[in-house]
Amino acid sequence: MGVAYERVVGHVDDLADFRALLASESAPGAFAGLVRAHGLAGVSFDMEPPGMTEDDAARYGAFLAR
């Protein structure tokens, strides 16, 4: 059936924590390592903390691209 598992990262309600994650140089590699270590299909991010700006959205897109 092609069913695969993903880890969901979400419910980040603190804008400062969200921005710290986006600024992290090591986070993308850590998530990739999690995927490889557990044979996952990927990571699903569901994060929209209150107060996000257009700049935050652009940084979020850049983070996901890494």
Side-chain angles (χ1 to χ4, degrees):
M1 291 180 70
V3 175
Y5 292 94
E6 295 181 343
R7 178 71 179 167
V8 176
V9 178
H11 302 289
V12 176
D13 294 328
D14 186 284
L15 189 56
D17 288 343
F18 176 74
R19 289 175 174 161
L21 174 65
L22 300 185
S24 171
E25 293 296 321
S26 62
F31 285 118
L34 176 75
V35 167
R36 285 190 298 273
H38 296 281
L40 302 173
V43 177
S44 177
F45 292 92
D46 181 16
M47 299 184 289
E48 301 90 17
M52 278 183 66
T53 65
E54 287 185 31
D55 287 338
D56 291 321
R59 283 192 292 273
Y60 188 23
F63 174 84
L64 295 175
R66 291 190 302 172

